[in-house]
């Protein structure tokens, strides 16, 4: 009796916690509302399952608790019931999977003409690179990395000279413009994470990864690294500024090209 | 219809040959270097519990740091990451795997299938000693320069072997050596479990008459034999990268401004190998738990397990599917994003057989005769935590929903609920259930119930709210969160609450240990079959069973292990080896 009640209370308390808790996803600031929608759908479908199973269990515990003279019913199988339950579950799984996969399809396909930005991780700081006036990144290699060239841009590649190097961990992007973020690490695994964007991806040394998003709100957001990258991992922070067009242009104009940073270093 | 028929006696004509046992002649060979599966089981279980207690204490350090950052002087970032790494590795591999397969597998398989012992008793003994050695080497890493590895329990390279990671000097080498040994030891044990189930079943014990516990352990052992080699080669290659400077997993990199001599390796290759082991590992732990919980529910609800054949097929389906889902740990790892489609489909497909198991457990309670014994309570606690943790798996398996949640506390909450709390509840339930067979005495029910409620409600209160911090976006593997605008201040209070609950749950385990030790001498005498259970292990001529389990003659099995409340039968249970009775029908 008491056991049944407590088990049912666990469900009630869980639901209350869900509705009353102040801990909600951050306000979204990108085009990935679809992700939030899929998450919401998942919450609904799975909560129904959880509540139904545990409440049914609690009912059984109450109704069929041992009492003098009780004997259980011998019922090894019930094919119809099993097929029915299996069918419902399959439908629920498809209901979750179909929208999930379709959103994933969008997630991995950046729109044509998305603006490219490179984020580079190193223990334990963020740097960024923008392609400059020619809209092309210069090639890179860890062989070229030194104090004057922290991102390893190939000095011999003409496309790299006008690349803008942002070494202070502060990235500015214009609102409303689809952005394809190219990710590169020069030492260990890192992960570019801004909770408000929803999108995230690992930075893997030896290869280039990517993700894309369209910022939908101006403001200032924290960039965290969420792939464990050693003792300084929690300190690896950056800031993402989503600017209006004019603010963005102002910021852009103040950035140094790769060629300029080389010259400055030479003096 | 399920196999309860007694046509032709229901007993295959072929007899299992009686094995010749190695008879121990001294105290040392009987209790220390024993070749008796039951003794080896206890050795395995005690070692696993001992090292598990170390991991429990480490979890307190983690929780204390999260609740009171910087307040405890000796918990610095090094200690924190070392605690996280060792806690995870110990719990998953050295505690859960070892206790389920080495502990319960060794004890229950021979008894439940009517065998005298494991098929290769000497190899079985070696398996334990190699496991013990592996555990000691792992523990030794606390005493070497630099301390144990703090690479995170997944040991991802390149970071695991580079400076800037705690324990990169010695700790990581000992960790890898220990894992390699563990797998060697496990392989010896695993071969025994598989061959014993296939070859040493007694007369009448057909595969479809085996208790689900044996099905779970058997399938898990097969999976482990397939999955652990992935970890084995990953460990060997990482060890070579660390010691000889090979570049299996490390590309050309610059570390702290200095060019390292590595080039050409792939960090993602390690992740594939690791998770090819790591995901099946979840089910290597879960399947034995599934099996054991089926038996506990059936016995204590005095009802046949509902849908036995479906349960067996579900175990096999889960076992097979779990080998092709490893990539769902790598959705945001940078692997080819097209894999996301494949792994999301296979991962969510597992939900169907898993849900069928849950339904069948719950339907077993329908029209049952439920006794709220301690083992039953633990089984019920498992049901709730498992369903809760299982459905959050649907969030993380569905690739796009995983993107924002990966690497947050949501993941930590999910896997602690589903493969931490749920299996541990089964372990406790199983110990309370089989303790009388092992020792001949009952454990105290009142203490058992107190232990259950504190453990179950306390652990639920730790990990249920943790999901919500993950939803906010609080990342895992942060030694300290610092000032972060998107985390509301109220999270501090929640963290303190979770830590207090974790401390309470941890300390409440003393009740269990007190109960287990006290009952050894002072528990009520159990008799051979105190729960009036139908499966074979309760029908031994002696309790605790002697060497060779069955006295002169192996038992003969006539029916399945879930013969409870059979219509027409005088008692509410019919042991598997009781000769067929009049009125026993094929239905």
């Amino acid at each position: 009796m008491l056991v049944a009640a407590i088990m049912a209370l666990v469900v009630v308390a869980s639901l209350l916690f869900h509705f009353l808790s102040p801990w909600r996803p951050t306000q979204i600031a990108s085009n990935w509302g679809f992700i939030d929608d899929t998450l919401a759908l998942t919450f609904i479908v799975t909560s129904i399952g959880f509540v139904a199973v545990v409440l049914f269990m609690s009912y059984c515990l109450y109704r069929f608790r041992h009492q003098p003279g009780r004997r259980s019913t011998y019922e090894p199988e019930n094919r119809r019931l099993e097929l029915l339950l299996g069918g419902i579950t399959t439908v629920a799984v498809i209901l979750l999977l179909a929208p999930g996969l379709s959103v994933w399809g969008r997630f991995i396909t950046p729109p044509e003409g998305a603006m490219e930005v490179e984020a580079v991780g190193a223990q334990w700081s963020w740097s960024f690179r923008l392609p400059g006036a020619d809209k092309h990144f210069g090639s890179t290699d860890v062989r070229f990395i030194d104090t004057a060239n922290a991102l390893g841009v190939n000095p011999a590649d003409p496309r790299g000279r006008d690349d803008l190097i942002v070494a202070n961990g502060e990235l500015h992007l214009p609102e409303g413009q689809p952005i394809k973020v190219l990710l590169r690490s020069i030492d260990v695994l890192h992960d570019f994470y801004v909770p408000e964007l929803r999108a995230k991806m690992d930075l893997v040394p030896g290869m280039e990864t990517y993700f894309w998003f369209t910022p939908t709100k101006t403001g200032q957001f924290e960039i965290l690294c969420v792939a464990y990258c050693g003792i300084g991992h929690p300190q690896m922070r950056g800031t993402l500024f989503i600017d209006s067009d004019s603010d963005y242009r102002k910021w852009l104009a103040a950035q140094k090209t790769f060629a300029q940073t080389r010259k400055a270093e030479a003096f | 219809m399920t196999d309860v028929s007694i046509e032709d006696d229901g007993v295959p004509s072929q007899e299992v040959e009686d094995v010749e046992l190695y008879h121990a002649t001294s105290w040392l060979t009987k209790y220390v270097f024993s070749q008796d599966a039951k003794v080896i089981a206890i050795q395995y279980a005690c070692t696993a519990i001992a090292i598990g207690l170390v991991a429990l204490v480490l979890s307190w350090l983690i929780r204390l740091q999260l609740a009171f950052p910087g307040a405890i002087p000796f918990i610095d970032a090094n200690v924190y990451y070392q605690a996280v790494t060792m806690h995870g590795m110990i719990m998953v591999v050295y505690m859960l795997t070892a206790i389920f397969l080495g502990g319960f597998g060794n004890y229950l398989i021979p008894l439940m299938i009517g065998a005298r012992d494991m098929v290769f008793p000497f190899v079985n003994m070696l398996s334990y000693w190699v496991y013990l050695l592996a555990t000691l080497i792992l523990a030794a890493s606390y005493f070497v320069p630099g301390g144990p590895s703090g690479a995170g329990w997944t040991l991802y390279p390149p970071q695991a072997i580079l400076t800037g990671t705690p324990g990169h000097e010695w700790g990581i080498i000992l960790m890898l050596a220990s894992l390699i040994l563990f797998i060697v030891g496990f392989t010896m044990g695993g071969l025994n479990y598989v061959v014993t189930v296939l070859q040493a079943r007694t007369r009448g014990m057909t595969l479809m008459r085996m208790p689900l516990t044996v099905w779970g352990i058997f399938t898990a052992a097969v999976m482990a034999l397939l999955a652990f080699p992935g970890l084995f080669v990953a460990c060997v290659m990482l060890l070579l990268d660390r010691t000889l400077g090979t570049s299996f997993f490390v590309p050309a990199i610059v570390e702290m401004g200095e060019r390292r001599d590595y080039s050409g390796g792939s960090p993602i290759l390690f992740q594939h190998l690791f998770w090819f082991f790591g995901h099946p590992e979840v089910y290597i732990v879960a399947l034995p738990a599934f099996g054991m919980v089926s038996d506990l529910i059936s016995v204590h609800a005095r009802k046949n397990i509902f849908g036995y054949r479906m349960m067996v097929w579900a175990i096999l389906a889960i076992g097979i599917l779990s080998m092709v889902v490893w990539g769902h740990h790598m959705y945001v790892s940078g692997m080819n994003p097209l894999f996301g489609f494949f792994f999301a489909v296979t991962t969510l497909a597992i939900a169907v057989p898993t849900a069928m198991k849950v339904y069948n457990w719950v339907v077993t309670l329908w029209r049952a005769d439920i006794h709220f014994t301690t083992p039953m309570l633990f089984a019920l606690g498992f049901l709730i935590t498992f369903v809760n943790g299982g459905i959050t798996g649907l969030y993380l398996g569905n690739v796009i929903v995983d993107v924002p949640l990966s690497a947050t506390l949501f993941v930590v909450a999910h896997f602690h609920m589903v493969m931490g709390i749920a299996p541990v509840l089964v372990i406790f339930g199983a110990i309370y259930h089989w303790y009388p067979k092992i020792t001949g005495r009952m454990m105290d029910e009142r203490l058992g119930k107190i232990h259950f409620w504190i453990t179950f409600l306390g652990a639920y209160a730790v990990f249920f709210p943790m999901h919500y911090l993950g939803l906010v976006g609080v990342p895992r593997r942060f030694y300290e969160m610092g000032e972060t605008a998107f985390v509301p201040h109220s999270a501090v209070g929640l963290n303190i609450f979770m830590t207090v609950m974790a401390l309470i749950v941890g300390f409440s385990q003393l009740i269990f240990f007190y109960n287990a030790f006290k009952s050894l001498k002072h528990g009520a005498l159990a008799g051979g079959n105190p729960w009036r259970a139908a499966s074979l292990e309760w029908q031994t001529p002696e309790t605790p069973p002697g060497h060779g389990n069955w006295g002169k003659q192996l038992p003969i099995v006539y029916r399945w292990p879930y013969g409870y409340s059979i219509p027409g039968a005088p008692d509410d249970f019919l042991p598997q080896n009781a000769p067929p009775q009049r009125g026993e029908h094929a239905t």
Side-chain angles (χ1 to χ4, degrees), chain A residues 14 18 23 46 56 64 66 72-73 75-77 82 89 96 104 186 193 200 202 207 222 228 231 233 237, chain B residues 150 164 254 302 304 307 310 332 337 359 362 367 369-370 395 398 403 406 460 468 477 481 485 490 565:
Chain A
S14 303
H18 176 76
W23 302 294
T46 55
F56 178 75
F64 305 111
H66 175 69
S72 65
T73 309
E75 190 190 23
E77 274 181 345
E82 290 187 84
T89 312
L96 297 178
W104 178 248
I186 62 168
Y193 178 52
K200 70 153 85 77
D202 274 8
M207 62 186 274
E222 280 166 279
Y228 174 57
I231 205 89
H233 170 56
R237 308 285 179 111
Chain B
V254 170
R302 313 306 299 157
N304 65 283
M310 173 67 88
V332 293
Y359 300 145
V362 179
R367 293 186 174 166
D369 173 22
I370 300 167
Y395 296 57
N398 201 357
V403 169
S406 63
Y460 195 87
Y468 288 81
R477 292 189 164 141
M481 204 48 224
S490 52
S565 302

Side-chain angles (χ1 to χ4, degrees), chain A residues 38 74 118 162 167 169-170 172 197 214 217 229 243:
Chain A
T38 330
Y74 190 71
E118 187 185 65
D162 66 341
E170 296 189 350
H172 288 248
L197 300 184
T214 306
K217 275 196 186 113
C229 56
D243 295 339

Side-chain angles (χ1 to χ4, degrees), chain B residues 491-573:
Chain B
V492 173
L494 183 59
N495 261 320
I496 293 173
F497 169 77
M498 291 191 293
T499 298
V500 171
M501 294 315 283
L503 289 169
I504 293 174
V505 169
F507 278 113
S508 74
Q509 303 317 305
L510 290 173
I511 303 172
F512 166 78
F513 287 108
Y514 172 74
N515 193 351
F517 283 116
K518 195 197 76 166
S519 305
L520 269 182
K521 274 226 164 108
H522 305 288
L525 284 173
N529 189 3
W531 308 117
R532 299 158 52 79
S535 52
L536 208 53
E537 81 274 21
W538 297 101
Q539 323 305 336
T540 55
E542 297 168 69
T543 297
H547 186 50
N549 296 344
W550 301 104
K552 281 213 175 79
Q553 191 136 36
L554 284 174
I556 298 176
V557 167
Y558 297 97
R559 63 185 70 74
W560 72 331
Y562 302 108
Y564 296 99
S565 302
I566 298 176
D571 236 340
D572 86 332
F573 73 108

Side-chain angles (χ1 to χ4, degrees), chain B residues 14 24 37 106 109 136 172 190 207 270 301 326 371 387 421 467 489 492 552:
Chain B
Q14 190 194 358
N106 263 315
I109 289 175
L136 291 176
I172 186 71
L207 286 175
F270 179 89
W326 75 87
H371 293 247
V387 172
I421 305 310
H467 290 96
H489 188 69
V492 173
K552 281 213 175 79

Side-chain angles (χ1 to χ4, degrees), chain A residues 204-218:
Chain A
V204 184
M207 62 186 274
E208 188 180 76
T209 56
Y210 75 93
F211 72 94
W212 78 276
F213 69 100
T214 306
T216 53
K217 275 196 186 113
T218 56

